[in-house]
Amino acid sequence: MSKKQWHHRVERPDFFSSVGHFDGFIASGLDKKEDFGYNIAMKNFETFKQSYQIKLNPQQEEAVARTKGQSLLLAVPGSGKTTVIIYRIAYMLKVEQIDPGEILTLTFSRMGARDLKGRYTKLFGEAQAETLHFSTIHSFALGVIRHYERSYRRRAHTVLGNTTPVIRELYRQLFQEHPGEIELSEICQRIGFCKNMMLTAAEIKLLPTLEVDFLQIYDAYESHKLKEQLMDFDDILKYAWGLLKKYPEMLAFFQNKYPYIHLDEAQDTSKIQFKIIELLTGETGNLFMVGDEDQSIYGFRGAFPESLLAFKETWPQGEVLLMETNYRSTRQIVDKANAFIKLNHERYQKEMAVPNSNEFTGVPIAREWVKSSEAQYQLIIEAIKREGKEIAVLYRNNESAIPLVDLLDEAGIAYHIKEHSPQFFGHFLIKDIRLFYEFAVNPGDMDLFTQVYYKMDAAISRETINQLGQLIKPKANAFDALITISGERAWQVKRLKDLKAGFKKLKNAPPQKGILMILDDLGYRSYLNFRISSGQSEENIEQKLAVLKILGGRVPNFPEFFDKLEVLAEKLQEPQARKAKMPRVTLSTLHSSKGLEFEKVFIIDATEGQIPNVSNTLEDAKAYAEEVRLFYVGATRAKQELIFLCVKHREKDIKPSPFISYLIDGLPRKKSPAEKMAPRLRESFGSQHVKWQDYHAGQVGGSTMDLSAYQNGTVITHQRFGAGTILTRNGDIASIHFDAAGEKKMNLAVCLENGVIK
């Protein structure tokens, strides 16, 4: 193609101009009379590398240079996949002289599209970047629809920007009540999952139950959109796929327009998205998919890693390429993570390793025990104050960050939260606890009583409440009137008297104790069990209760407790840019941490039942595999130090996630036939027998250990940090400089007693 022809092609109006605003789809023509060097061909790959001072390992070079046919590049964490995509595009332009308008790069998110364009701009200039097409799959699909509208003079359905108000109104109409925000979020998420997985009505019926009939509201939602001629965000994909299948000339248009397709984050691609890619590529197109099935963690949104596993079935002539060198983490982390991910079997064989030139092994992964959930937060605060490292705190659920945010604000420590959801503060648990307390303060308020009576496990009927409203005197205690009405029902009279006494105590109880009273003495736990049996997640409720108890333990009374919740809700809704330009610590869920990296990573609240939240059975095999991948993603965010904080619960039978033991101590061995016949025992893999490893300064009452040999200048060996020299010692507490980990403060008595130091 001549330069004149090329100019004509990129300047010709097309559908991109109509969707450029939609979600960051970058597409602009060449409007300057400049020669950007596209007509200057590089002689070969070596010339290209020398010209731009590019250094690649052999696996990366193979991925960059294979531009024909279909390729699936499986890139382990920290292997430089984004760099390879950028260099590959530049190689196609500079060496192979491919028209930039023929290259379409698709990614999972708007942020991903912006990042790719930004990285390309930084390396090869803004002018080159502006001639390339970086897009989300949704934006591309909308472009297909707009092309259809212009070509066939027909109008597609209007895009519904916000589905939540529609779902809320349909819910109210169908079930005669207003849904909570979390309930709404679950319904919207499931609708998106069904569309992305292309589920039939029969398959939808097999999904886990929600508190309401999901299929009923799903059908109502689809009928509403059809009547109003609307399509939601995920309908765009189905609509575009249907058009490409129905109109061969449209499919041919896009195949000819984009003979070269890049797909980033392929493991996050949904089933319907992959179907679109499959149509565009055909049997002979040029496709470069980059991903890692080991990092597919968005199954709840419809991610379909099976598309990667079936790559050779889809394109028999295609090639599966590997990038197995992790440039991010130490050998200690890489080796352990590489062994752990083999807990999954439905995966490609890969061996993640560090560069051969890297002789530094780093410090071992740590499993540190703390006495309480509150203690883990205090330990993190002390670590942040003591060290100047880039620290991240990762957790399964958003709620885990809330007590830490409270302490970070109190300590004046800058922090950044990655995609925090504020739904916690609108949860029915908090509303109910507030109602119980307000009724304790105002026991004669019938309006309050009608909102809590059925949550007390007292068998109070609606008819009784109606009768009570006619008999009770203004400001009289509701329980006195109920006792009178109950008459000879001795068991109910006793229950009502107990409730009256319990609410009287609740009025002046400290919040942490008061929450327990509401749960156990006032019968609220029975109501929660009913909600759980109706579809609420037990783990989710217990997590929220745990956070409320922690926060309740930091204030003396309920008014201050509710004030604290309101302040935290406001802080967590503030724009992150206002909080810290240079945050010292990042807080993130494991899901949101993908793609990030930090010098030091704490993983908290990794408990049995939370990670994994399903059993390793045939029925739950797919969900269990995703739990393994999620844990793997979290572990591989750490560059230098990875620490799991495990709480020693005395009152509850809560144990650390077995994944922690699998990662640190090794995978569970396969049972012999004789063992399989024996009663099934819980395999601890040493987790219950691990000694207390206090790597930080602490207090030991009554220590009588002789520490006279441990003076300034004494060289010691630590089981985790290696060789170190004592700088100063004050009683049991010593400041020790380690070659591998820098300066640490430690309790010598504890470390020596447990064999941590020699």
Side-chain angles (χ1 to χ4, degrees):
M1 181 180 292
S2 69
K3 185 175 180 181
K4 181 179 179 180
Q5 289 173 316
W6 178 58
H7 273 264
H8 175 70
R9 174 164 187 150
V10 284
E11 290 181 340
R12 185 181 60 199
D14 59 20
F15 72 90
F16 294 110
S17 60
S18 67
V19 298
H21 66 284
F22 186 70
D23 68 351
F25 193 107
I26 298 103
S28 62
L30 183 64
D31 56 3
K32 295 183 180 180
K33 295 180 180 179
E34 298 181 37
D35 186 347
F36 296 117
Y38 293 118
N39 60 339
I40 304 175
M42 298 283 179
K43 290 183 178 179
N44 51 39
F45 194 19
E46 291 303 317
T47 306
F48 171 67
K49 289 193 298 180
Q50 292 171 11
S51 298
Y52 292 97
Q53 298 181 339
I54 295 172
K55 294 182 180 179
L56 301 170
N57 66 37
Q59 288 184 330
Q60 292 172 329
E61 287 191 0
E62 183 181 8
V64 168
R66 191 177 193 277
T67 60
K68 298 297 187 289
Q70 305 87 38
S71 301
L72 169 60
L73 175 62
L74 300 171
V76 304
S79 60
K81 72 173 183 64
T82 303
T83 298
V84 165
I85 294 174
I86 297 303
Y87 285 156
R88 188 176 191 273
I89 294 172
Y91 171 79
M92 294 168 73
L93 300 181
K94 299 291 185 180
V95 179
E96 300 201 342
Q97 290 289 284
I98 293 171
D99 179 348
E102 295 181 343
I103 302 172
L104 174 64
T105 302
L106 299 172
T107 190
F108 177 67
S109 66
R110 285 176 281 182
M111 184 178 295
R114 287 195 296 267
D115 180 57
L116 282 172
K117 183 190 176 187
R119 291 283 296 274
Y120 195 94
T121 299
K122 185 176 180 180
L123 288 171
F124 298 102
E126 184 175 356
Q128 290 189 19
E130 289 298 325
T131 63
L132 293 163
H133 299 155
F134 298 94
S135 167
T136 65
I137 300 178
H138 278 90
S139 184
F140 173 80
L142 185 63
V144 171
I145 295 170
R146 296 294 178 248
H147 178 83
Y148 161 77
E149 289 180 318
R150 288 195 304 273
S151 299
Y152 295 88
R153 298 290 190 268
R154 296 177 186 174
R155 183 168 180 78
H157 289 178
T158 303
V159 176
L160 176 63
N162 186 2
T163 62
T164 302
V166 176
I167 299 295
R168 182 185 286 113
E169 178 58 23
L170 290 172
Y171 187 107
R172 189 192 64 77
Q173 293 175 13
L174 289 171
F175 308 116
Q176 304 302 308
E177 62 178 343
H178 294 280
E181 291 303 313
I182 293 178
E183 206 168 11
L184 271 176
S185 177
E186 288 178 344
I187 292 171
C188 291
Q189 184 181 94
R190 178 164 291 189
I191 289 173
F193 173 82
C194 293
K195 292 176 182 294
N196 275 278
M197 290 299 291
M198 308 173 76
L199 299 185
T200 64
E203 290 169 328
I204 292 174
K205 287 181 180 179
L206 299 176
L207 295 174
T209 58
L210 298 179
E211 281 199 277
V212 295
D213 186 336
F214 172 73
L215 189 57
Q216 185 180 1
I217 196 167
Y218 181 83
D219 288 341
Y221 174 62
E222 292 299 290
S223 297
H224 170 81
K225 286 187 301 167
L226 184 62
K227 179 182 177 182
E228 300 296 328
Q229 294 187 318
L230 298 170
M231 61 179 172
D232 64 23
F233 195 56
D234 292 312
D235 288 328
I236 293 171
L237 300 170
K238 185 177 180 181
Y239 205 134
W241 177 64
L243 291 173
L244 293 173
K245 286 185 65 181
K246 184 176 181 179
Y247 299 101
E249 64 276 13
M250 268 189 64
L251 177 59
F253 170 82
F254 286 102
Q255 287 177 332
N256 292 331
K257 185 175 181 64
Y258 297 115
Y260 297 92
I261 298 175
H262 293 94
L263 177 63
D264 190 20
E265 301 290 3
Q267 75 281 344
D268 298 329
T269 305
S270 69
K271 190 172 185 178
I272 183 66
Q273 290 171 341
F274 186 74
K275 291 292 184 182
I276 292 173
I277 300 298
E278 191 175 350
L279 278 176
L280 290 172
T281 305
E283 296 181 1
T284 59
N286 303 302
L287 172 65
F288 185 68
M289 291 172 54
V290 187
D292 181 8
E293 81 284 7
D294 290 335
Q295 297 184 73
S296 182
I297 59 174
Y298 294 119
F300 61 93
R301 292 201 303 226
F304 193 62
E306 289 86 346
S307 63
L308 276 67
L309 297 172
F311 177 80
K312 290 290 286 185
E313 295 177 23
T314 308
W315 292 287
Q317 303 303 315
E319 290 291 337
V320 177
L321 310 176
L322 300 178
M323 289 204 320
E324 300 168 292
T325 304
N326 180 310
Y327 294 95
R328 172 190 299 155
S329 306
T330 63
R331 189 182 301 275
Q332 288 277 359
I333 295 170
V334 168
D335 288 350
K336 294 289 188 180
N338 182 60
F340 171 80
I341 194 59
K342 294 177 182 177
L343 189 61
N344 278 352
H345 301 292
E346 295 297 319
R347 59 186 293 270
Y348 288 97
Q349 286 299 314
K350 301 186 290 291
E351 295 296 335
M352 182 169 64
V354 297
N356 293 331
S357 59
N358 188 357
E359 298 180 358
F360 176 68
T361 61
V363 297
I365 299 171
R367 169 179 40 205
E368 297 197 20
W369 298 88
V370 291
K371 295 180 179 179
S372 65
S373 296
E374 178 72 357
Q376 73 175 345
Y377 293 114
Q378 296 291 346
L379 185 151
I380 291 169
I381 293 295
E382 292 304 314
I384 295 169
K385 289 179 178 178
R386 183 174 59 250
E387 302 180 32
K389 291 182 177 179
E390 178 187 36
I391 292 177
V393 182
L394 308 182
Y395 36 82
R396 175 61 181 270
N397 299 305
N398 274 296
E399 289 85 355
S400 295
I402 295 171
L404 187 54
V405 165
D406 185 36
L407 294 180
L408 289 167
D409 278 322
E410 186 179 298
I413 297 172
Y415 61 92
H416 171 76
I417 302 182
K418 185 99 165 54
E419 297 183 16
H420 182 79
S421 171
Q423 292 178 339
F424 171 84
F425 300 98
H427 195 268
F428 73 84
L429 265 176
I430 295 177
K431 294 178 181 178
D432 285 351
I433 289 171
R434 186 185 288 271
L435 283 173
F436 269 81
Y437 173 73
E438 288 178 351
F439 180 70
V441 176
N442 303 286
D445 191 322
M446 278 302 297
D447 182 55
L448 287 172
F449 188 68
T450 56
Q451 296 181 68
V452 298
Y453 77 91
Y454 59 93
K455 302 175 183 179
M456 298 178 186
D457 193 26
I460 304 172
S461 68
R462 185 67 192 176
E463 291 73 20
T464 301
I465 294 299
N466 293 334
Q467 186 180 358
L468 180 66
Q470 300 171 6
L471 298 176
I472 193 169
K473 296 178 181 179
K475 297 185 179 180
N477 191 302
F479 288 112
D480 290 335
L482 279 173
I483 290 170
T484 302
I485 294 173
S486 297
E488 299 179 356
R489 292 192 292 256
W491 66 269
Q492 191 171 37
V493 170
K494 182 179 184 306
R495 176 61 180 157
L496 292 171
K497 288 181 177 179
D498 289 342
L499 285 171
K500 179 182 177 181
F503 273 98
K504 186 176 181 179
K505 291 179 182 178
L506 177 64
K507 179 179 178 180
N508 298 309
Q512 193 174 64
K513 182 179 179 181
I515 291 171
L516 291 174
M517 291 173 61
I518 291 171
L519 288 169
D520 301 322
D521 301 341
L522 302 182
Y524 186 57
R525 194 177 293 279
S526 294
Y527 173 74
L528 290 181
N529 289 336
F530 163 74
R531 294 293 296 262
I532 290 167
S533 67
S534 301
Q536 281 281 340
S537 165
E538 182 177 4
E539 290 79 11
N540 189 275
I541 286 177
E542 289 299 329
Q543 176 75 10
K544 287 176 172 58
L545 283 172
V547 171
L548 290 171
K549 291 173 190 175
I550 292 171
L551 295 175
R554 296 176 182 175
V555 289
N557 55 60
F558 269 105
E560 290 188 38
F561 172 68
F562 295 126
D563 286 345
K564 180 180 284 291
L565 290 178
E566 290 176 6
V567 170
L568 284 169
E570 291 177 3
K571 286 184 179 296
L572 288 168
Q573 288 176 349
E574 292 176 5
Q576 288 295 305
R578 290 171 51 190
K579 294 188 176 181
K581 292 183 179 179
M582 293 294 291
R584 294 183 58 188
V585 61
T586 297
L587 313 179
S588 174
T589 61
L590 292 168
H591 282 99
S592 294
S593 72
K594 192 163 77 71
L596 305 179
E597 57 183 40
F598 308 92
E599 291 180 277
K600 185 169 188 171
V601 170
F602 288 99
I603 296 183
I604 63 172
D605 292 342
T607 58
E608 193 174 51
Q610 288 285 338
I611 306 177
N613 61 6
V614 293
S615 58
N616 188 13
T617 62
L618 186 62
E619 295 80 7
D620 295 326
K622 186 175 180 180
Y624 186 86
E626 180 151 323
E627 292 291 296
V628 171
R629 297 193 294 267
L630 179 63
F631 190 84
Y632 172 78
V633 165
T636 52
R637 299 311 95 196
K639 294 194 286 188
Q640 297 176 7
E641 291 186 69
L642 175 59
I643 301 170
F644 294 92
L645 298 185
C646 303
V647 178
K648 287 191 172 182
H649 289 279
R650 295 179 179 178
E651 299 176 359
K652 297 182 179 181
D653 186 27
I654 299 178
K655 298 179 177 62
S657 167
F659 286 176
I660 298 174
S661 290
Y662 298 167
L663 180 71
I664 296 176
D665 305 327
L667 298 185
R669 64 182 179 85
K670 293 182 179 180
K671 292 182 179 180
S672 66
E675 289 175 310
K676 291 179 181 179
M677 295 291 290
R680 193 171 183 180
L681 300 175
R682 180 180 300 280
E683 294 186 35
S684 66
F685 307 106
S687 61
Q688 280 84 355
H689 308 291
V690 175
K691 294 182 178 179
W692 184 285
Q693 298 181 15
D694 186 353
Y695 297 119
H696 302 280
Q699 298 297 322
V700 176
S703 173
T704 58
M705 184 168 291
D706 182 10
L707 301 177
S708 58
Y710 297 87
Q711 302 298 328
N712 296 356
T714 302
V715 177
I716 56 90
T717 300
H718 191 282
Q719 71 173 22
R720 176 170 173 236
F721 299 118
T725 304
I726 297 177
L727 302 178
T728 60
R729 182 169 72 84
N730 183 10
D732 293 351
I733 308 302
S735 291
I736 306 173
H737 176 78
F738 293 97
D739 297 335
E743 187 174 341
K744 301 281 184 182
K745 284 188 177 180
M746 297 186 177
N747 191 308
L748 285 175
V750 171
C751 293
L752 288 167
E753 183 179 356
N754 289 284
V756 177
I757 283 179
K758 296 181 181 179

